[in-house]
Amino acid sequence: MHEFAMAQGIFNTVLETARANDAIEVTEMVIEIGKLAMLNPEQLKFMLGVMCEGEELTKNAEMIIKTVDVEIKCHNCGFEGIGNVDDSDHYAPMILCPECESHRVQVINGKDITVRSISIEKEDDEN
């Protein structure tokens, strides 16, 4: 159900943005999902696809979902960069520094869900 609520929020954001820009069609939407966002990208894509099919503005939109790595700062060795994530436990992923394998890390990026961009078609102004 978490994925459904997120899909609805993303769908509403895309629709509002398209309507605010006088779109006649959404041709593409790019969504970024952090590895720590606790979302299943396949379920999210399925639910968004169903929502888009039922709306004239979005029914032909290409949906691109990108996964964002977890960026960390290690408090043990000072490393900054992509952390190692053991997400075998979906609800409590373990994040390790790739340099010293410490758990004492600060997550800098990788928790968010972002509608990075949408591409739209507009009526030709010359007609």
Side-chain angles (χ1 to χ4, degrees):
M1 293 309 278
H2 180 62
E3 281 78 3
F4 180 80
M6 293 308 298
Q8 188 68 61
I10 292 167
F11 181 69
N12 290 343
T13 298
V14 169
L15 271 184
E16 289 170 13
T17 302
R19 289 177 178 149
N21 288 282
D22 301 320
I24 58 171
E25 182 179 16
V26 175
T27 58
E28 180 185 274
M29 61 181 88
V30 179
I31 300 154
E32 294 179 343
I33 302 173
K35 284 187 175 178
L36 295 179
M38 306 295 185
L39 282 179
N40 179 317
E42 293 303 318
Q43 289 179 357
L44 181 72
K45 188 171 188 172
F46 173 77
M47 291 176 191
L48 264 173
V50 170
M51 291 175 190
C52 287
E53 285 177 12
E55 171 60 42
E56 190 67 26
L57 270 177
T58 58
K59 69 180 183 184
N60 296 318
E62 179 182 2
M63 189 180 331
I64 299 170
I65 296 182
K66 297 180 177 179
T67 302
V68 176
D69 286 326
V70 176
E71 293 180 40
I72 62 164
K73 178 177 182 179
C74 180
H75 295 294
N76 194 44
C77 72
F79 171 82
E80 290 188 35
I82 305 299
N84 289 338
V85 179
D86 175 4
D87 58 356
S88 55
D89 181 351
H90 176 72
Y91 296 105
M94 300 287 290
I95 305 160
L96 297 172
C97 174
E99 296 293 320
C100 68
E101 298 187 5
S102 173
H103 293 274
R104 295 183 56 236
V105 297
Q106 174 186 356
V107 175
I108 297 170
N109 194 16
K111 296 179 181 176
D112 299 327
I113 302 156
T114 306
V115 178
R116 177 58 54 202
S117 66
I118 67 170
S119 299
I120 61 172
E121 289 287 329
K122 295 176 86 168
E123 293 241 9
D124 189 1
D125 291 337
E126 295 177 15
N127 291 334

